[in-house]
Amino acid sequence: MSLRNTPLSLLAPLPGLPQVLDGEWRIAIAHEGQGLELGYADPGFADSGWETVRLPHLRHSTAEQDTLWYRCHFALTPGPRLRAVAEQHGDRRGERVILRFGGAFYRARVWLNGVELGLHEGYFQPFGFDVTDLLKPGENVLAVRCRFPIETGEFRRKTAVAGIFADWDCKPYPSAFYPNLPPPTEWTVPIGLWQPVSLHATGPVLIESLNIFPEVINPNWQSGRAEAANLKVVIATRNLTPDSQSAELALNIAPHNFVERDGTRSALYKQALNLAGNEHQTLEFNLTLPNPRLWFPWTHGEPCLYQAQLTLTNNQLPITKSFGVRGVRAVIEPGRWEWQLNGRRIFPKGSNYVSDFYLNRVIPEGLRRDLDLARNANLDLLRVHAHVAPPDFYRLCDELGVMVMCDFPLIWTYAFDLPPDEDIAFRASVQAQVEDMVRLLGSHPSVVLWSMHNEPPWTPDGSFLGGDVHHAEVNRPMDEASAARARELDSTRPVIAASGEYDQHLYHGWYTGGWPDNRNLRPAFPTEFGVQALPNLDSPFWATANTDWPVDSDDPSWAHAGYQAVFWASPGVGAPPQFTSLADYVAASQEYQAFFIRYAIDQWRRKKFDPVGGYIHFLFTDGWPAITWSVLDYYRLPKAGYQALAESSRPVHLSLDVEPGFTVEGGFHLVYPVGATLAVALYLVNDDYRLGGQVAVTTWIERRDSPRLNWIRRLLSRRLTTTLTRADEGSRLVNLLKLPLNRAGEYTLRAQVRQGRRLLAENHFDFRAGAVRREHKAPRRVPGLLLNKVYQSGSLRHTEDGFAFSLRNPAMPVTLQSLSELRVDGQTVDPAQVELVFGGQSRRASTITPQAPLELPSNERFTIVARGHPLAPGAHELELTAHFLGLGDIAAKIKDKLI
């Protein structure tokens, strides 16, 4: 017997108390078709030898093991309603039993008592089936097959809508290293049932989704209220029976987390509902809520919430959903991003966030801890980076007043050059899941922005994915269609087709250029900026990585954790062998990260509203034991960057704009010659409408290498009084310090803003007067694990009087300023005898200079020809060093054979 159903969409709460299937589940791993052949779906299959687990549960899927089977034996044990409905296969009122899955990675096929129920695709949506006619007294057997296909053969052709869980540079085994890491490291994605499975008794009419979209009329910040709110209510219903059904729908709205002084204000709406047999019907209607309390992020007010209670007369038990009344708008244009909340302009400050790579580990207490850490860092916005978080995250953001940039789970390139039928199916899946995301999360006031795709290849920030997919604008029609559909469903929030189009991902100081370049950038809304840093020396992370010093830059355990050796070498703090110990390396990396965060945020806040409209730092937390851009590692131990982020994100801030006149040592240390003048502009900025009045700005210089007299220097500090800027203003220049540096030494410039005894802001930066010993910084070397993406293996060949080999630029377009050195078997080749050939043109290496550079497009293949150096057959070693604009010297060591 076989029965195929389209899964029910269960995006609204179900009424009543469920029977949670939280007993033992049995699991086994098999290939996709193997389990069916072995009878894993049959109720009589002997599974006693399988491993037992409890839900929620996830394992990791690999290329060899991408399918996980679950089996659960259960009897109906709850109260009389559920048992009676199941045993009678629905009573005369048409009551039904729903089998609900809270979430499954990634494709789930379900059988109950040997009957196939259907297939669901997508990890974040609750789904289920009407199982009233299949349940039986005594033991029932539920079988679930979860599959997450491993799409590592060609990342640009992937089709799983799973965002960071399928492809990311902060996941276990970043795709940049695939397939070069040896065992025991391996490419993995999560697979399994990461949310509970339960049975629910319901009436004949199912509420599939319930959303309330508010339009605020005449908001008032002082009172925290509005004149009124028009509430657009959208309810999706489904008749689960073949018979027509009639019912009265009643919706009651009342305060949820606050009490009205003059009694409880509520709004009540009633409507008759008539559904034909098996009909799906969406109701839309409007309610007016007079004088509502407004929802604010914690930085601006109270996050007041209402509760909607929906009752159907033939369902008896109500369902509830909380929501907030707030108006959010964003003016989004090229070079402009202006946020407005409840009628006033705001400047959000945030970070990118991921809770855990294995979502079954996420519990409300952990989410609450993370949100407290975000608030302690003075952040009021989190970007859930290229995924949808567990439901409790959005509930807690509502309650704690933290805004959310909600990413749809797409990252980088999808479905490139797929056959037409597969491409059509993929787009249909994306469109359906976009609708699910909006209907699942649409009532959460914390969600202030929908974003459909992170860094797709058609955006400026996705150009690194390759010139062919970039110029072909791959995925653009799909992303724009997704954005249009989200706007149709929800007109109360801004929607962008991609992150990386109108907002900016800026990695000057890591991927491109140096950190001083941020001073001249004018982004509208930077939503990614940061540098990598190692976890603390006492972090449990180090039990998972090699610590035998000095660690090789190519160490597989570090690469598996996300360590980007090329960029650590320059513009980062250097390679591991340049440091005497792991402790020194940890300290230097965290010092650079903290410095970078302060410097970059000083620039964004100095340019508040001119044109910067807010910022989202990258990255707040690690989702697994990793080496990334995070300021909190997987164990939530703070790096030095966390404190820098917190101090730089205070409502009141004093941006220190250091004017040119320094040189840079060791990547980020500022050095001035003795006798030079330190010039620093001080910009005062305030983002809190509740603050105002007179403030005192104080600055002084301390000697780090001679602290004995610092108390005298503080007594001699410079102090001025000024009026605090308004929250709807940009920054204001309040002072321009010009300080002569007449003595060599290590210094710190410190600045504070106080109002009476209250410290509103503090900032600082370190510098040195007088030359220091210059250490030669070795060029960053392309790790052997990445050489296969740069060097065309087997391309070494004879020429008439020398040899040639081929390379490829695998990333973003770069500017080659010189080919510094080419050595073969230890012998240097004269640059005048070396040519670069590509695209029908050639250049002698000796003619490539900073004044006459060579532009190398993304994914461009080129050949290096060396004349006058014939090579004998056999193994050879090539050493190549080149200087690239903004990247510095990069070296590669290549081994190949000539036949």
Side-chain angles (χ1 to χ4, degrees), residues 659-827:
E659 297 188 356
F662 56 84
T663 58
V664 179
E665 297 284 353
F668 65 99
H669 299 288
L670 279 59
V671 179
Y672 293 83
V674 173
T677 297
L678 172 70
V680 182
L682 279 62
Y683 289 84
L684 183 63
V685 64
N686 167 39
D687 301 328
D688 191 338
Y689 282 94
R690 297 166 293 189
L691 297 176
Q694 296 293 106
V695 294
V697 177
T698 307
T699 56
W700 69 96
I701 288 181
E702 294 178 351
R703 281 287 296 264
R704 298 200 313 281
D705 54 354
S706 179
R708 286 186 305 114
L709 301 179
N710 280 340
W711 65 276
I712 296 178
R713 295 184 179 94
R714 186 160 185 173
L715 288 176
L716 299 175
S717 61
R718 303 185 178 201
R719 186 175 185 272
L720 63 88
T721 302
T722 187
T723 303
L724 189 62
T725 55
R726 299 195 313 270
D728 58 357
E729 291 181 321
S731 67
R732 185 173 73 240
L733 177 65
V734 295
N735 200 2
L736 179 59
L737 297 178
K738 290 187 178 292
L739 304 173
L741 303 174
N742 296 323
R743 292 187 178 182
E746 304 282 345
Y747 295 92
T748 299
L749 174 67
R750 297 194 178 277
Q752 289 185 348
V753 180
R754 289 184 177 272
Q755 193 168 55
R757 294 187 176 182
R758 181 183 178 188
L759 177 64
L760 297 180
E762 57 184 345
N763 202 351
H764 75 275
F765 73 89
D766 300 330
F767 65 96
R768 177 180 176 85
V772 295
R773 180 175 61 86
R774 292 178 176 270
E775 295 183 2
H776 174 68
K777 196 168 190 179
R780 51 180 165 174
R781 181 164 58 88
V782 178
L785 298 169
L786 295 181
L787 269 180
N788 71 316
K789 297 184 182 298
V790 177
Y791 178 65
Q792 305 299 290
S793 181
S795 65
L796 182 63
R797 64 187 187 275
H798 298 284
T799 62
E800 183 176 348
D801 62 344
F803 64 92
F805 57 94
S806 296
L807 303 172
R808 181 175 72 91
N809 173 21
M812 63 198 75
V814 293
T815 301
L816 176 64
Q817 293 188 313
S818 70
L819 185 61
S820 309
E821 186 177 51
L822 173 62
R823 295 167 61 87
V824 55
D825 300 327
Q827 183 180 0

Side-chain angles (χ1 to χ4, degrees), residues 44-357:
F45 177 82
D47 57 19
S48 58
W50 286 16
E51 180 185 351
T52 59
V53 298
R54 290 183 179 273
L55 300 189
H57 170 265
L58 284 176
R59 285 288 172 87
H60 62 261
S61 172
T62 67
E64 292 73 28
Q65 299 177 333
D66 68 353
T67 303
L68 181 62
W69 281 82
Y70 290 84
R71 287 173 59 87
C72 177
H73 302 252
F74 67 93
L76 295 173
T77 59
R81 186 184 185 207
L82 179 58
R83 187 165 54 246
V85 173
E87 291 176 353
Q88 299 175 28
H89 298 297
D91 61 12
R92 57 187 174 82
R93 294 175 299 173
E95 290 194 328
R96 314 299 293 170
V97 176
I98 304 299
L99 173 65
R100 182 185 187 273
F101 292 82
F105 274 99
Y106 167 73
R107 296 189 179 110
R109 192 177 294 276
V110 184
W111 293 260
L112 179 61
N113 295 326
V115 177
E116 183 179 345
L117 302 182
L119 171 69
H120 179 268
E121 178 173 339
Y123 77 90
F124 65 86
Q125 312 97 312
F127 65 95
F129 303 92
D130 182 345
V131 294
T132 310
D133 300 328
L134 295 177
L135 289 168
K136 59 185 183 182
E139 183 179 85
N140 293 268
V141 180
L142 178 63
V144 185
R145 187 185 75 185
C146 292
R147 182 169 184 261
F148 198 154
I150 304 298
E151 299 180 298
T152 51
E154 176 55 81
F155 288 101
R156 302 194 301 179
R157 292 169 64 89
K158 61 184 182 287
T159 58
V161 183
I164 63 171
F165 303 107
D167 189 10
W168 196 27
D169 46 9
C170 297
K171 72 174 289 293
Y173 200 150
S175 56
F177 295 110
Y178 188 82
N180 297 299
L181 296 185
T185 58
E186 57 187 346
W187 181 271
T188 62
V189 295
I191 184 172
L193 301 174
W194 68 277
Q195 286 277 284
V197 177
S198 51
L199 291 165
H200 302 253
T202 182
V205 177
L206 175 68
I207 305 299
E208 289 190 321
S209 66
L210 164 62
N211 279 292
I212 299 174
F213 301 105
E215 179 187 355
V216 177
I217 300 172
N218 295 331
N220 186 297
W221 277 59
Q222 281 70 35
S223 66
R225 293 186 178 275
E227 178 182 317
N230 290 329
L231 305 181
K232 177 183 175 182
V233 182
V234 183
I235 305 172
T237 64
R238 183 180 296 276
N239 183 357
L240 298 174
T241 73
D243 303 320
S244 61
Q245 298 289 337
S246 298
E248 184 178 69
L249 178 150
L251 181 70
N252 186 71
I253 293 173
H256 176 56
N257 64 350
F258 64 94
V259 177
E260 292 286 11
R261 295 176 183 175
D262 54 351
T264 299
R265 300 184 180 183
S266 62
L268 181 64
Y269 177 87
K270 292 185 178 182
Q271 177 175 321
L273 179 65
N274 297 292
L275 293 171
N278 299 314
E279 181 185 1
H280 175 270
Q281 186 180 124
T282 298
L283 304 177
E284 291 190 13
F285 54 87
N286 292 291
L287 283 176
T288 298
L289 189 63
N291 197 26
R293 292 276 295 270
L294 295 173
W295 184 94
F296 285 95
W298 73 275
T299 49
H300 292 290
E302 296 297 322
C304 295
L305 295 171
Y306 287 85
Q307 186 175 81
Q309 186 178 82
L310 178 64
T311 305
L312 291 176
T313 52
N314 60 357
N315 269 16
Q316 298 180 353
L317 297 175
I319 65 172
T320 59
K321 176 169 278 194
S322 62
F323 69 97
V325 176
R326 58 98 184 92
V328 60
R329 294 286 186 271
V331 179
I332 304 172
E333 300 170 351
R336 182 186 179 198
W337 193 302
E338 180 179 316
W339 284 103
Q340 292 186 353
L341 176 74
N342 293 332
R344 279 189 170 179
R345 194 170 186 182
I346 62 169
F347 188 86
K349 300 180 288 290
S351 190
N352 286 261
Y353 175 72
V354 55
S355 55
D356 202 296
F357 186 72

Side-chain angles (χ1 to χ4, degrees), residues 257 298 303 305 353-355 361-377 379 382 389-402 620-621 632 636 642:
N257 64 350
W298 73 275
L305 295 171
Y353 175 72
V354 55
S355 55
R361 299 172 179 169
V362 180
I363 58 176
E365 292 79 9
L367 293 170
R368 176 67 186 249
R369 169 206 59 199
D370 288 352
L371 291 172
D372 286 342
L373 286 165
R375 288 172 38 132
N376 290 339
L379 305 180
L382 290 177
D392 283 325
F393 171 79
Y394 303 94
R395 173 183 61 82
L396 288 167
C397 286
D398 292 346
E399 295 173 1
L400 297 174
V402 177
F620 194 56
T621 51
L632 294 165
R636 297 329 188 238
Y642 176 78

